[in-house]
Structure formats: C-alpha cells, structure tokens
Amino acid sequence: MSALSAHILEEIRELPAKYPQPRSAVMPALDLAQEELGHLTPEAMSEVAAALELDAGYVEGVATFYTLFHLAPVGKHHFYVCTNLSCALRGSAEIVDHLKKSIGVTEPDEVSKDGMFSYEEVECLGACEFAPMMRLDHRFHYDLTPEKIDTLISEKRGLLPASGEVAAKPPEGRPAPPRKPRTPRKKKAPDA
Ligand code: FES
C-alpha cells in the first residue's frame, strides 16, 4: 500500500509540466506529500521521487536541506524563528526562550504535550528590516515581542480570533517587508 493517496500522486505527476526545469517540481511535490501526512516518511519521499522520475537521493537531499520539511512528526503549528544576526541583535534569543516557556518545550522539534506546537531556529528569512521575525505555519510575523507570541498562541488555541500576518504594514519611513521571504533553512550545528 502506498504512503501517499492516488490523488496526491496524480497531482505530483502533473507538477513538472508547470516549471521550465522539471526538477523544480520537487519542493511543491514534497510540500503536497507533507501536507497529506504531516511529515515526510522515507516511503513518501521514494514515492515523490518515482512520481517525478527523479533520483531518490536528490529528493531526500532537498527534504533534509530545508527546515520547511519535517522528517519526524512536529506540532500541528510549527514556529520557524529566525536567529540569524539581525534577529539575534534584536532579541531573537529572548523570543525563543519565551516561546519555549509558553508552549512548554525545552528543545527544538519537541512537540508540546497537547500536540499543538513545536518550534525550531532557522537561518535568515530575508526580512532583516523587521527583526526579530519568524514564520508560523504558512504566515510570516514581524517585529516580534513576547506579547505577540502569546497572542498568536492564544489564536491557535482558539482563545482569540485569528488575525494573521503575511506582510506587516511598514512603520513610517520603512520599506514594505518581503511578500515572500525565503524558505526556512536549517540552522547549522555550531562547530565543535
Ligand atoms: S536575520 Fe532574521 S530575517 Fe534576516
């Protein structure tokens, strides 16, 4: 029995025709697979490779490079907090500490007891002007504060109406934030 449903595999097979380079279909294909399963299993990655007629090692390489793809279960809502230089200078460490306390985890990718939340630290998301910033699921949030984090958690728990934030309104004299910041990339492990 296949890991992915027939209709998802069909959608994946149709993707290469939409790109000048058929290999470019690998990220949207992995995205579809992850959306269906919650995370990418080895079987799902093999099926994506077969459906796109790509080498399985290449597909796995893409899945392991981008933090957007999860190889193990994560929370229903996943925070990708940028902790690169600009965000670090503007307090991303405090944001991460506050987030960990608020969702009750101690490690990246640990899932909160209620299964709702997890987080990880990622490389620059291309919106340094609005540091500290992060991606939560498919939305981007800028100029983070502990209060903003708590509001978002309450929204996801259904305790507050969802406001969402794709592109923050730029304060006076600041440019608009990027509409499509970079895909999250994994933080490199510090040198031993
Ligand atoms: S350093 Fe955080 S968005 Fe660039």
Side-chain angles (χ1 to χ4, degrees), residues 81-88 92 122-134 142 181-182:
V81 186
C82 174
T83 51
N84 253 166
L85 188 60
S86 301
C87 288
S92 62
V122 298
E123 300 283 4
C124 178
L125 289 168
C128 312
E129 287 268 324
F130 301 91
M133 61 83 66
M134 69 176 182
Y142 305 101
R182 290 178 201 154

Side-chain angles (χ1 to χ4, degrees), residues 6 8-17 50-52:
I8 289 292
L9 285 170
E10 197 46 49
E11 268 191 67
I12 290 173
R13 282 189 204 101
E14 287 167 7
L15 283 171
L52 296 177

